[in-house]
Amino acid sequence: SGFNSIGHMDTMLRSRHQIGHYKEGEEFIQNVFHVLSQIFTGKEKSNLAICWLQYEIYKVIQCLQAKKKKKLKAQGRKSKKLAKNFLKAPDNRNNLCLWKLYAYLEWLLGNTDDARKVFDTALCTAGTGGLKSAQLCSLSLLYAQLEVELLESIEGAVMSRAVHILTKLTENGPYVPYSGQVLSVNVLKARKTYEHALQDYLSKTPDSDQDGVNDTDQLVNLVGCYALFQYLTVGIDAAVLIYNQASENLGASGSQKCENTGENFGILNFPTALEAVTLLHTNLLRFHMKISVYPLNPLREALTEALKRYPSNQSLWRSYIHIQRKSHSASKARRFFDSVTRSANSLEPWLFAIQAEQMRKKLTEKVQRADVGEIHCTIPETGLTNRIVALFEHAVQSENGTHCPLLWRMYLNFMV
């Protein structure tokens, strides 16, 4: 995603301060970017700018998570200056990806109105590619997602700015900024357009001459836009239906292609498309549960299915741990972790299994140490400690675990 964890270990807590970027690590990364920007030209230089800006956004997110207001202000100023300098370069003026990142940066810094202006400017200058343009779809999807997150309930969302953005995307005409209303007839037309576009994409025949990566992105963005549109205009069940339909088609086409050719070639890189669609699906369910009453089971099932397929996807694991924390019974989660760690070679299942148990231990200790008058709980919680040590032992014996510095550091840290 444009950055790597050089020079920081954000999984460790040292006293009460979370360890951020080390000065040397940060200087090293900045030097690399500066040197490369003088060597690269054209497309490579634009791609480097995108990576650099993603890295700056990542640091802003870190400041937000750590609630460091002073640091956030300074980081925000630096990142915005860099983004503006990138967009001033003649090669980047029409680069929608950079415009999208700049608007997202403004949004993260709390400048919602400025971010909207940037999004609107980018959409107005992007031309009339509509659903055929992968970058335009991606820009509209992020804009709509951010707007949806501001909604307090799904009632009346048909008139929201998000619906306006997603409707305008289907019209293939120049973009007009939101004026406060969305016409019902436009919503109906947009739904038909999305339906036909998705059918066309899913029934496409493989053509190895085409740019596979672009087509994958395009399909994921299209499914995301259509599902979000259905969510806002019809409801959560309609959105889930779109995700299920896309996942079934992608799963079937992927396995069929492997049988026919012995490898996965053609316009769509199916596993990545399927993984990205699953991520959109689970994120939407999580959001819906936050703003309204909805059962937990659909989300839990979607996550367990996805994690069996993609055991190294960190975002899915984070969501899984987040929902398991609400459950008082750990046995189901433990059985699931056990089955995934046995079948998968990746290290993520081990790391997240350990994290889940450590969170449970922290919670237990917090409850036991609560001061309730004269009564103090004196029973030590050894069961969880032994369990965590056993998980560490098994993890460091696995092939990948033996060579993972982070895992060894976590183990030492826990034993201390």
Side-chain angles (χ1 to χ4, degrees), residues 134-396:
Q135 287 200 327
L136 195 56
C137 271
S138 172
L139 184 70
S140 302
L141 179 59
L142 178 67
Y143 191 4
Q145 281 172 334
L146 293 172
E147 288 292 347
V148 169
E149 281 175 15
L150 296 180
L151 297 177
E152 283 168 12
S153 83
I154 203 74
E155 285 167 33
V158 181
M159 289 294 139
S160 66
R161 190 186 290 262
V163 173
H164 170 80
I165 297 157
L166 295 169
T167 307
K168 279 286 165 206
L169 179 64
T170 61
E171 288 173 13
N172 285 1
Y175 180 79
V176 183
Y178 180 63
S179 59
Q181 60 172 1
V182 183
L183 297 175
S184 306
V185 65
N186 291 351
V187 171
L188 291 171
K189 279 182 188 169
R191 188 174 293 125
K192 275 273 168 266
T193 311
Y194 274 124
E195 203 178 314
H196 292 312
L198 185 61
Q199 287 306 328
D200 290 349
Y201 255 93
L202 291 175
S203 58
K204 254 188 184 180
T205 47
D207 175 3
S208 43
D209 293 341
Q210 289 191 23
D211 185 357
V213 177
N214 262 358
D215 260 8
T216 304
D217 290 349
Q218 177 56 0
L219 178 68
V220 172
N221 291 328
L222 177 63
V223 171
C225 288
Y226 185 19
L228 196 57
F229 176 80
Q230 287 291 75
Y231 174 61
L232 295 168
T233 56
V234 186
I236 185 70
D237 295 337
V240 169
L241 207 65
I242 305 296
Y243 285 129
N244 289 342
Q245 184 192 349
S247 299
E248 275 169 29
N249 263 291
L250 286 169
S253 312
S255 55
Q256 190 183 344
K257 270 190 185 175
C258 290
E259 279 169 28
N260 291 351
T261 60
E263 58 179 326
N264 209 351
F265 77 95
I267 58 155
L268 292 167
N269 185 349
F270 283 95
T272 32
L274 199 50
E275 194 169 347
V277 165
T278 308
L279 208 52
L280 287 170
H281 179 182
T282 51
N283 286 347
L284 185 66
L285 284 176
R286 269 185 73 178
F287 171 76
H288 184 64
M289 285 171 65
K290 204 163 68 178
I291 62 164
S292 58
V293 180
Y294 192 71
L296 184 63
N297 220 31
L299 176 58
R300 187 185 278 135
E301 279 175 14
L303 282 170
T304 48
E305 277 307 305
L307 284 164
K308 281 175 196 167
R309 269 185 174 154
Y310 314 111
S312 56
N313 188 311
Q314 296 178 22
S315 302
L316 290 173
W317 277 120
R318 273 190 208 104
S319 296
Y320 182 74
I321 282 187
H322 182 78
I323 63 161
Q324 284 306 332
R325 281 172 74 183
K326 295 175 183 173
S327 156
H328 292 294
S329 164
S331 55
K332 195 181 268 185
R334 282 170 179 167
R335 280 200 300 273
F336 178 64
F337 272 119
D338 197 42
S339 67
V340 178
T341 46
R342 279 180 196 194
S343 56
N345 290 327
S346 54
L347 199 56
E348 279 84 356
W350 286 113
L351 290 168
F352 281 98
I354 290 164
Q355 194 192 7
E357 294 296 344
Q358 284 186 325
M359 281 156 92
R360 192 168 283 279
K361 183 172 183 284
K362 210 172 178 180
L363 189 68
T364 314
E365 285 173 354
K366 199 174 170 185
V367 173
Q368 286 187 349
R369 286 177 187 167
D371 196 357
V372 281
E374 290 300 300
I375 310 157
H376 292 280
C377 187
T378 52
I379 304 165
E381 177 39 69
T382 51
L384 277 171
T385 307
N386 293 339
R387 184 172 190 88
I388 294 167
V389 170
L391 278 171
F392 272 121
E393 278 298 321
H394 286 300
V396 294

Side-chain angles (χ1 to χ4, degrees), residues 92-104:
N92 294 334
R93 281 195 190 135
N94 297 326
N95 189 329
L96 283 186
C97 207
L98 275 174
W99 279 101
K100 180 177 89 167
L101 289 170
Y102 175 44
Y104 183 43

Side-chain angles (χ1 to χ4, degrees), residues 393-405:
E393 278 298 321
H394 286 300
V396 294
Q397 281 165 20
S398 67
E399 201 176 329
N400 292 334
T402 310
H403 306 292
C404 175

